[in-house]
Amino acid sequence: MAERLRDLLSIEELTAEEIGFLLDEAKPFQEFQRYPLKKLATLRGKTVALAFFEASTRTRISFATAASRLGADTMNLQAEASSLKKGESLLDTARTLDAMKPDCIVMRHSSSGAADFVARHLEIPVINAGDGTHEHPTQALLDALTIRDRRGKIESLNVTIVGDILHSRVARSNLHLLGKFGCRFTLCGPPMWLPREFECLGKQVRRSSRIDDALEGADVVIVLRVQQERLHEPALPLDEYILLYQLTPGRLKLARPDALVLHPGPMIRGLEIDPAVADGPQSCVLEQVTNGLAVRMALLFVMIATGAEIDDARGPAHAAH
Amino acid sequence: MFARMRVVEKTQLMSATEIDRTLQRLAHEIVEKSGGTANLALIGIRRRGVPLAQRIARAMHGIEHVEVPVGTLDITLYRDDLSKIASHPVLHSSEIPFPVDDKDVLLVDDVLYTGRTARAAMNGLFDLGRPSRVRMAVLIDRGHRELPIEASFVGRSIQTSSREIVEVRLHETDQEERVMLVERVE
């Protein structure tokens, strides 16, 4: 890779080459999850700060487990218990964490651009674990790894994303990532949830409010969680959403026979997805979770295992024998 | 990414024929000193230990008509000098298609130098299980150990200075097949 990766703030700013490098680095860590002894000393003595200003369970556990399996320690900041509740500014909280000398900060925040803002003020690497409706880079990386494993490639696929695209950082990161590899997209959901922004980015994006039409010929179907808190702006009855947009076995038949079904979780069975699809052979949901660990281990390894200043004249290919 | 180190070639240490003859001899020694090959497994350390392990296994098949399993170990995650490099190390998969528990493991590498690679390989190996015995075979032992580690089987021991580099070039990984002694020029 040409340049050292300093932060991971968005997929948009990465090149296809950098994405490919990160996916390749994740490969050995996928295997590692099957080892009897899941503990490396590679990041021994390093500390990863997990700053989750917005509630999160799976992403936080995934990052914490990734850090722990690499031998790093973690410090935890959780929204409910944080001094944000007491009125401290984001920057003050970040600087306080930084003063405890972690080697990187993994951060989630409900405001788009929050990770970028913190990265501009701190020296240490910042990993964006989701910022508002902007991006969720590690989710897109683990989705790409899952697709590449099952399909052998991520290039030029037909990808259908179903749900609330407008408010979804998962959709945005996936559009940026798979878009860099020439994938074509169909965004599907109630019209008020289908933004026009991606058409302006010159990506191959089609919008459709009819799921039967959107699934036709799909290689990959990404089902988004229905954020029930959003259903009321403007009002859309839940049972109407289920009727119009739930991914059912019958509808999935309209996609290619080997189409993959991805869901970023948490998945609500019987709402956005029929249980028969969620548990079916085309579903990748549990692989996504395992691959999430591999991607996050690779990322932490790439970002903090090596030193920033000194370079070995012989290069990384030469071990010391 | 980084300035390419300048080196001059000094001498050829081994020709293709000598490499082949040495590996044949190593295979004979390993068979002789292992007290049976039933439990034996070879693990090549990436990168050039891998083709060497495969060749030794083939030679052993020629001698004993046994199939000795061969695995591959990438030691990058176990290196003790990661904090000293600035560029992103490229990771590779370790492929060990047999349980390591209670196996008689022979690690194979091209050059034994400081012993730090062998240390890293042993750490990696023990993350996979508990072998009954671990030994090591190398094509070249060039001295300058920084750890209390020795190989059980050595193709050739040579005297080197720390400015010199032993380059094993194999046709599986390089354009040619020979062992060269090169020197770093500042």
Side-chain angles (χ1 to χ4, degrees):
Chain A
M1 204 156 69
E3 255 181 69
R4 222 188 127 80
L5 195 65
R6 210 194 86 93
D7 304 298
L8 179 64
L9 302 174
S10 71
I11 294 293
E12 189 178 7
E13 67 186 358
L14 297 181
T15 64
E17 187 203 358
E18 288 170 323
I19 292 165
F21 171 76
L22 288 173
L23 297 181
D24 288 343
E25 293 282 273
K27 202 102 196 83
F29 292 113
Q30 283 180 294
E31 243 163 74
F32 176 80
Q33 310 309 327
R34 293 191 285 270
Y35 278 24
L37 201 158
K38 295 178 194 61
K39 185 81 175 177
L40 291 164
T42 315
L43 296 186
R44 192 175 49 190
K46 307 266 186 188
T47 308
V48 177
L50 303 173
F52 282 75
F53 297 96
E54 183 187 79
S56 156
T57 309
R58 53 183 63 218
T59 307
R60 187 165 48 80
I61 289 177
S62 182
F63 267 110
T65 308
S68 152
R69 290 190 177 173
L70 279 163
D73 295 305
T74 49
M75 32 168 123
N76 256 288
L77 177 134
Q78 284 173 44
E80 311 77 57
S82 84
S83 25
L84 285 176
K85 290 264 185 281
K86 300 172 193 158
E88 190 178 50
S89 78
L90 170 61
L91 190 54
D92 281 333
T93 309
R95 281 184 172 145
T96 304
L97 276 177
D98 187 42
M100 293 182 219
K101 308 296 175 198
D103 295 277
C104 82
I105 291 190
V106 176
M107 154 172 176
R108 168 168 291 189
H109 198 283
S110 56
S111 298
S112 305
D116 188 79
F117 170 75
V118 168
R120 273 184 275 125
H121 288 89
L122 301 186
E123 289 289 315
I124 58 168
V126 175
I127 297 175
N128 181 6
D131 61 331
T133 59
H134 174 229
E135 281 223 36
H136 190 352
T138 55
Q139 179 71 43
L141 288 167
L142 73 90
D143 287 348
L145 187 63
T146 307
I147 297 168
R148 198 177 72 169
D149 269 4
R150 284 257 198 142
R151 297 301 296 253
K153 61 162 193 169
I154 50 174
E155 285 83 5
S156 313
L157 299 168
N158 295 313
V159 181
T160 300
I161 309 181
V162 187
D164 180 0
I165 320 282
L166 181 67
H167 298 104
S168 173
R169 54 191 174 214
V170 173
R172 246 166 223 94
S173 286
N174 268 311
L175 277 151
H176 283 302
L177 195 156
L178 297 168
K180 289 177 201 281
F181 291 88
C183 291
R184 293 165 298 273
F185 299 92
T186 306
L187 309 182
C188 176
M192 75 241 182
W193 284 350
L194 301 180
R196 290 177 178 275
E197 61 178 279
F198 295 101
E199 289 156 41
C200 316
L201 292 171
K203 306 230 192 280
Q204 298 192 57
V205 181
R206 199 165 68 87
R207 297 181 305 142
S208 171
S209 53
R210 293 183 52 244
I211 191 164
D212 290 4
D213 167 63
L215 287 172
E216 211 177 298
D219 297 294
V220 177
V221 184
I222 300 175
V223 184
L224 301 174
R225 179 174 72 95
V226 173
Q227 306 177 32
Q228 292 193 44
E229 61 275 20
R230 305 246 189 236
L231 281 170
H232 306 290
E233 45 159 80
L236 177 74
L238 212 54
D239 40 1
E240 193 174 323
Y241 186 86
I242 294 171
L243 197 67
L244 291 174
Y245 298 108
Q246 186 184 75
L247 187 62
T248 59
R251 285 175 173 158
L252 186 55
K253 284 204 180 78
L254 298 167
R256 286 178 44 128
D258 56 352
L260 307 176
V261 177
L262 277 71
H263 192 300
M267 175 170 78
I268 320 288
R269 286 163 185 271
L271 208 175
E272 68 268 15
I273 192 164
D274 185 297
V277 174
D279 302 326
Q282 289 165 269
S283 166
C284 304
V285 290
L286 294 176
E287 279 154 73
Q288 286 175 276
V289 176
T290 313
N291 286 337
L293 268 179
V295 156
R296 290 174 181 123
M297 283 182 81
L299 199 60
L300 292 173
F301 171 75
V302 164
M303 293 183 66
I304 60 177
T306 54
E309 311 300 335
I310 327 146
D311 205 340
D312 181 347
R314 294 180 305 164
H318 291 74
H321 285 300
Chain B
M1 201 148 53
F2 46 84
R4 181 95 183 108
M5 167 190 56
R6 292 207 306 131
V7 292
V8 285
E9 296 197 341
K10 288 178 79 178
T11 33
Q12 175 172 307
L13 296 170
M14 278 179 151
S15 67
T17 331
E18 286 170 309
I19 293 173
D20 184 54
R21 202 182 300 141
T22 305
L23 292 176
Q24 292 291 335
R25 197 200 79 224
L26 284 173
H28 276 279
E29 278 184 37
I30 295 161
V31 168
E32 188 191 333
K33 293 196 178 141
S34 293
T37 50
N39 203 27
L40 194 66
L42 304 188
I43 294 180
I45 301 174
R46 277 190 71 96
R47 202 158 151 239
R48 290 180 184 76
V50 177
L52 292 177
Q54 284 156 352
R55 292 192 205 180
I56 291 172
R58 263 201 306 277
M60 290 172 73
H61 185 258
I63 302 161
E64 285 278 278
H65 303 288
V66 286
E67 294 285 347
V68 177
V70 180
T72 298
L73 191 63
D74 184 81
I75 57 124
T76 312
L77 292 170
Y78 301 92
R79 285 172 64 169
D80 62 3
D81 60 347
L82 284 171
S83 61
K84 291 192 168 64
I85 57 174
S87 41
H88 296 309
V90 177
L91 296 176
H92 294 278
S93 297
S94 294
E95 282 149 33
I96 299 182
F98 46 82
V100 166
D101 277 332
D102 301 318
K103 270 268 184 286
D104 185 5
V105 171
L106 183 69
L107 294 170
V108 181
D109 204 1
D110 56 347
V111 181
L112 179 56
Y113 181 30
T114 61
R116 288 176 191 269
T117 297
R119 199 276 316 163
M122 282 188 276
N123 276 27
L125 185 59
F126 278 80
D127 277 2
L128 291 164
R130 184 182 184 278
S132 64
R133 171 165 70 170
V134 183
R135 292 173 300 166
M136 188 172 184
V138 294
L139 187 62
I140 306 279
D141 180 349
R142 59 165 293 192
H144 300 280
R145 216 78 77 235
E146 294 168 4
L147 293 170
I149 282 171
E150 292 304 330
S152 318
F153 305 97
V154 175
R156 187 182 294 182
S157 291
I158 54 162
Q159 298 288 324
T160 58
S161 83
S162 51
R163 290 173 59 84
E164 290 166 334
I165 296 164
V166 177
E167 281 193 5
V168 174
R169 302 173 191 166
L170 304 172
H171 61 68
E172 291 95 332
T173 47
D174 312 277
Q175 303 298 314
E176 50 180 355
E177 173 95 3
R178 56 183 178 156
V179 180
M180 294 297 300
L181 186 66
V182 301
E183 189 165 29
R184 200 181 310 210
V185 229
E186 302 302 334

